[in-house]
């Protein structure tokens, strides 16, 4: 049964989509069957994996708003074992369309539950807001990865996100955990990067992933070629960082399963 991990932060530009694509591809290379759900109307995970957003006939929008079978929307990716549920600009209006639906915060959970038995990991690329789609994503998930960029104001807004997570734990999804805080756009030669790293570690301690995602040109270039970094340049620092993160996620999950038994 899949472990469902949301990748969330209401701040834009922190590396959510980069993480969804590259963690997903790295887990797939490690022989895990992975589904990425693009839950952002900007559809960057969709285009970043080489799909033409305008050509997508069935997307997360149809599954959530029109109750279509989610299997019909899933597309195989270039990387073996990696699959995508694409997004579309129509998702912009889904928050409003879902307002009058019954059990509206659990619409995505019902969709994801139909897919859990078919994958090892389901990663949800959340939109940069704390609206109804993000609430749905967190309600459907077992845990959440929170990317934090190593830049000024890195911790700004995190309190709001953590508060939202607490409300969801209390009212909608008691088993939701924080998988970890992921430091992105790190530069070892930049004093600010090191200061942010220390500050995040001081606040969140063991909840911070050991893996750092460094600033990397190949990592930044790969989505414009419709590829994960591991397909674009497997030797690049970015690709290696995400392989290390995938190993960390797998080890955590293995330890969790052992403790459960």
């Amino acid at each position: 049964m899949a472990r469902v991990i949301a990748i969330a932060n209401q701040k834009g530009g922190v590396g959510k989509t980069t993480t969804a694509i590259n963690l997903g591809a790295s887990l797939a290379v490690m022989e895990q069957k992975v589904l990425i759900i693009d839950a952002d109307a900007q559809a960057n995970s969709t285009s970043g994996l080489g799909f033409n957003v305008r050509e997508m006939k069935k997307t997360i929008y149809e599954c959530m708003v029109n109750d279509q079978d989610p299997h019909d929307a899933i597309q195989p990716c270039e990387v073996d074992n990696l699959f995508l549920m694409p997004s579309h600009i129509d998702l912009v209006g889904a928050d409003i369309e879902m307002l009058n639906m019954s059990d509206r915060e659990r619409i995505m959970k019902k969709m994801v539950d139909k897919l859990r038995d078919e994958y090892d990991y389901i990663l949800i690329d959340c939109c940069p807001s704390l609206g109804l789609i993000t609430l749905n994503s967190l309600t459907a998930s077992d845990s959440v990865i929170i990317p934090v960029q190593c830049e000024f104001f890195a911790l700004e807004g995190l309190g709001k996100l953590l508060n939202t997570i607490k409300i969801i734990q209390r009212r909608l999804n008691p088993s939701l955990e924080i998988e970890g805080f992921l430091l992105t756009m790190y530069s070892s030669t930049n004093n600010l990067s090191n200061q942010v790293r220390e500050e995040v570690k001081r606040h969140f301690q063991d909840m911070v992933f050991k893996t750092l995602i460094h600033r990397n040109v190949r990592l930044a270039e790969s989505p414009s070629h419709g590829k994960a970094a591991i397909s674009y340049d497997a030797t690049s620092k970015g690709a290696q960082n995400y392989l290390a993160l995938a190993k960390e996620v797998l080890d955590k999950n293995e330890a969790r399963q052992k403790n459960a038994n």
Side-chain angles (χ1 to χ4, degrees), residues 103-256:
D103 217 9
R104 62 190 181 198
E105 295 91 354
R106 291 189 174 87
I107 292 168
M108 194 184 295
K109 177 175 169 45
K110 288 169 188 166
M111 178 186 86
V112 166
D113 285 349
K114 292 175 186 171
L115 304 168
R116 268 186 189 263
D117 290 341
E118 296 162 43
Y119 298 91
D120 297 303
Y121 285 89
I122 296 175
L123 305 179
I124 306 175
D125 181 16
C126 296
C127 55
S129 79
L130 293 177
L132 191 50
I133 298 287
T134 299
L135 289 186
N136 263 268
S137 302
L138 294 170
T139 303
S141 298
D142 299 310
S143 63
V144 54
I145 289 175
I146 303 170
V148 181
Q149 83 279 40
C150 292
E151 291 177 0
F152 204 55
F153 297 134
L155 295 177
E156 194 179 71
L158 272 189
K160 204 172 177 186
L161 175 62
L162 294 173
N163 201 36
T164 301
I165 289 169
K166 275 185 189 148
I167 292 166
I168 288 166
Q169 286 167 330
R170 209 163 49 238
R171 298 184 189 168
L172 296 163
N173 184 2
S175 58
L176 181 65
E177 302 173 345
I178 292 178
E179 189 80 19
F181 292 84
L182 176 67
L183 291 160
T184 62
M185 304 176 203
Y186 177 76
S187 170
S188 54
T189 58
N190 183 324
N191 281 340
L192 183 60
S193 271
N194 289 310
Q195 283 167 15
V196 170
R197 180 187 180 190
E198 290 310 312
E199 198 176 348
V200 172
K201 287 187 99 168
R202 190 170 69 249
H203 272 78
F204 303 112
Q205 300 166 357
D206 293 346
M207 293 163 80
V208 183
F209 284 108
K210 293 182 179 71
T211 305
L212 296 165
I213 308 300
H214 290 73
R215 279 196 177 278
N216 179 250
V217 173
R218 308 301 266 173
L219 188 61
E221 284 175 351
S222 56
S224 63
H225 295 268
K227 292 177 182 284
I230 202 160
S231 302
Y232 184 59
D233 183 354
T235 62
S236 67
K237 185 101 175 169
Q240 294 303 312
N241 287 167
Y242 276 107
L243 281 168
L245 177 65
K247 174 87 168 58
E248 217 176 320
V249 168
L250 285 173
D251 289 348
K252 260 191 176 190
N253 208 26
E254 212 170 273
R256 198 181 280 114

